[in-house]
């Protein structure tokens, strides 16, 4: 706290030395005299009365904090919504007149209110006028150029995306092929020696005497039993027999229905359905 107080005193002293006329004009007469007394008189007294030595920095700081300018001007004056410090509220010591500092604070407050009011007016502009302004802006060439650039960027990114997908698919396919080949080699070396192979074929390479007499396992052997001529003929005969039985059954049902309708003329749909189901059942059992 002592260090902070010392820095604040140095700031006040620098303002007093550099902007003395501004402080004299802005502050009241009483406040300015108190500030001058707190700064100048303490600086001019170079000898301590008790010890006869020059005052230390701590003594100067304590004397400044005990001065009338620090301890006597704590009140404020309200002017509307503005709170003004007492030292710049009035020009004279008895509260008469307006100081230039108070005038400057009130002018700043008025300017701030005007800025805020203008900002609120801009915010309260009808939404239709904003949309109309945006519509007029969209009809300019700048918007068309932005749309053109955006379309080109989308097409370029889509092309790069498709190319990356193709490259990823090719890489994945190559890795899967390499893994399958590796697995087949491991299976050939580890599992196949313990398996019984019934199908062999001539090897593509020759022996040391260049003779094609070597045999190797046919790992891709297919008997093609499903494509045999006899099996195909058997399936054709089964389909034809099934179609013939269906035609005979349909013909028998038609004859039974005609004979039933010609004898007693009874045409009940439920009874006819029951009799038809019975005839189909008898035909299948016969």
């Amino acid at each position: 706290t002592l260090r902070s107080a010392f820095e604040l005193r140095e700031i006040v002293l620098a303002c007093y030395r550099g902007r003395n006329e501004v402080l004299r004009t802005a502050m009241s007469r009483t406040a300015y005299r108190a500030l001058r007394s707190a700064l100048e008189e303490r600086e001019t007294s170079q000898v301590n009365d008790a010890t006869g030595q020059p005052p230390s920095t701590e003594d100067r700081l304590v004397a400044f904090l005990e001065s009338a300018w620090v301890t006597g001007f704590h009140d404020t004056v309200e002017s509307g919504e503005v709170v003004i410090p007492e030292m710049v509220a009035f020009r004279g010591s008895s509260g008469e007149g307006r100081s230039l500092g108070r005038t400057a604070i009130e002018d700043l407050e008025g300017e701030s209110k005007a800025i805020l009011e203008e900002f609120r007016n801009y915010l309260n502009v009808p939404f239709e006028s904003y949309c109309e302004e945006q519509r007029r802006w969209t009809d300019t060439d700048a918007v068309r150029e932005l749309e053109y650039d955006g379309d080109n960027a989308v097409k370029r990114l889509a092309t790069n995306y498709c190319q990356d997908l193709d490259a990823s698919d090719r890489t994945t396919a190559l890795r899967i092929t390499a893994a399958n080949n590796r697995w087949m080699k491991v299976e050939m070396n580890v599992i196949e020696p313990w398996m019984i192979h019934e199908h062999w074929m001539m090897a593509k390479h020759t022996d040391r005497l260049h003779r094609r007499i070597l045999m190797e396992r046919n790992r891709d052997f297919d008997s093609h039993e499903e494509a045999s001529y006899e099996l195909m003929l058997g399936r054709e005969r089964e389909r034809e027999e099934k179609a013939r039985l269906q035609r005979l059954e349909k013909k028998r049902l038609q004859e039974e229905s005609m004979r039933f309708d010609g004898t007693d003329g009874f045409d009940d749909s439920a009874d006819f359905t029951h009799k038809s189901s019975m005839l189909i059942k008898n035909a299948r059992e016969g």
Side-chain angles (χ1 to χ4, degrees):
T1 55
L2 186 63
R3 181 183 179 87
S4 300
F6 178 75
E7 291 180 356
L8 291 175
R9 177 184 177 278
E10 293 298 322
I11 292 174
V12 174
L13 183 60
C15 293
Y16 178 77
R17 292 174 178 176
R19 296 290 186 270
N20 192 3
E21 293 298 328
V22 175
L23 293 177
R24 180 183 299 176
T25 305
M27 298 172 64
S28 63
R29 295 188 183 92
T30 305
Y32 180 76
R33 285 196 296 267
L35 177 62
R36 183 178 60 184
S37 175
L39 295 177
E40 290 184 353
E41 293 180 1
R42 300 297 178 180
E43 293 294 331
T44 55
S45 61
Q46 300 293 331
V47 180
N48 194 326
D49 297 337
T51 61
Q53 300 293 330
S56 62
T57 303
E58 184 176 354
D59 295 337
R60 293 179 182 179
L61 181 60
V62 172
F64 176 74
L65 293 177
E66 292 177 351
S67 64
W69 186 78
V70 177
T71 60
F73 295 93
H74 293 167
D75 295 335
T76 57
V77 177
E78 294 185 0
S79 176
E81 297 179 357
V82 184
V83 178
I84 302 174
E86 181 186 4
M87 65 180 63
V88 296
F90 302 103
R91 182 61 180 166
S93 59
S94 59
E96 73 278 2
R98 297 166 60 88
S99 65
L100 295 179
R102 178 175 179 174
T103 304
I105 293 175
E106 292 177 350
D107 292 342
L108 289 174
E109 176 66 17
E111 186 176 356
S112 300
K113 286 184 178 180
I115 293 173
L116 291 176
E117 185 66 23
E118 185 179 3
F119 182 70
R120 289 194 199 95
N121 292 333
Y122 277 114
L123 288 180
N124 294 329
V125 173
F127 185 70
E128 290 78 6
S129 61
Y130 171 76
C131 293
E132 181 65 21
E133 182 180 357
Q134 293 296 317
R135 188 192 64 78
R136 290 195 299 268
W137 179 74
T138 55
D139 294 336
T140 59
D141 295 335
V143 177
R144 296 186 179 89
E145 291 178 358
L146 291 176
E147 292 177 350
Y148 178 75
D149 294 339
D151 293 339
N152 290 334
V154 170
K155 291 178 181 178
R156 184 176 64 257
L157 293 176
T159 303
N160 295 336
Y161 176 73
C162 294
Q163 292 176 356
D164 293 341
L165 284 181
D166 294 339
S168 177
D169 293 340
R170 288 194 299 270
T171 304
T172 303
L174 291 175
R175 290 180 178 178
I176 292 174
T177 303
N180 291 335
N181 294 334
R182 178 63 177 170
W183 175 252
M184 289 178 61
K185 290 181 179 179
V186 173
E187 185 178 3
M188 289 168 57
N189 296 329
V190 177
I191 300 177
E192 282 192 356
W194 305 97
M195 297 175 60
I196 299 175
H197 294 274
E198 298 179 354
H199 304 284
W200 299 80
M201 64 180 181
M202 297 295 296
K204 296 181 180 180
H205 53 277
T206 60
D207 61 357
R208 294 180 179 179
L209 300 177
H210 303 287
R211 294 176 299 179
R212 297 185 61 86
I213 60 175
L214 299 178
M215 302 293 292
E216 64 179 2
R217 297 183 180 92
N218 187 2
R219 299 181 179 86
D220 299 325
F221 177 78
D222 189 1
S223 62
H224 298 286
E225 294 179 355
E226 298 292 332
S228 63
Y229 183 70
E230 294 181 358
L231 183 61
M232 294 176 63
L233 289 178
R235 290 180 178 177
E236 289 291 338
R237 285 194 297 268
E238 289 178 359
R239 285 195 294 267
E240 291 178 359
E241 184 67 20
K242 187 176 180 180
R244 188 181 67 83
L245 292 175
Q246 289 179 356
R247 288 195 301 270
L248 291 175
E249 186 176 359
K250 184 177 180 180
K251 183 177 181 182
R252 182 182 297 180
L253 289 175
Q254 290 178 355
E255 291 177 354
E256 291 292 335
S257 63
M258 291 174 63
R259 183 174 59 81
F260 177 76
D261 292 338
T263 55
D264 52 4
F266 185 76
D267 190 10
D268 189 5
S269 59
D271 192 18
F272 177 73
T273 304
H274 176 69
K275 290 181 179 297
S276 299
S277 60
M278 293 297 296
L279 290 173
I280 294 173
K281 183 177 179 181
N282 293 332
R284 289 179 177 176
E285 293 178 356

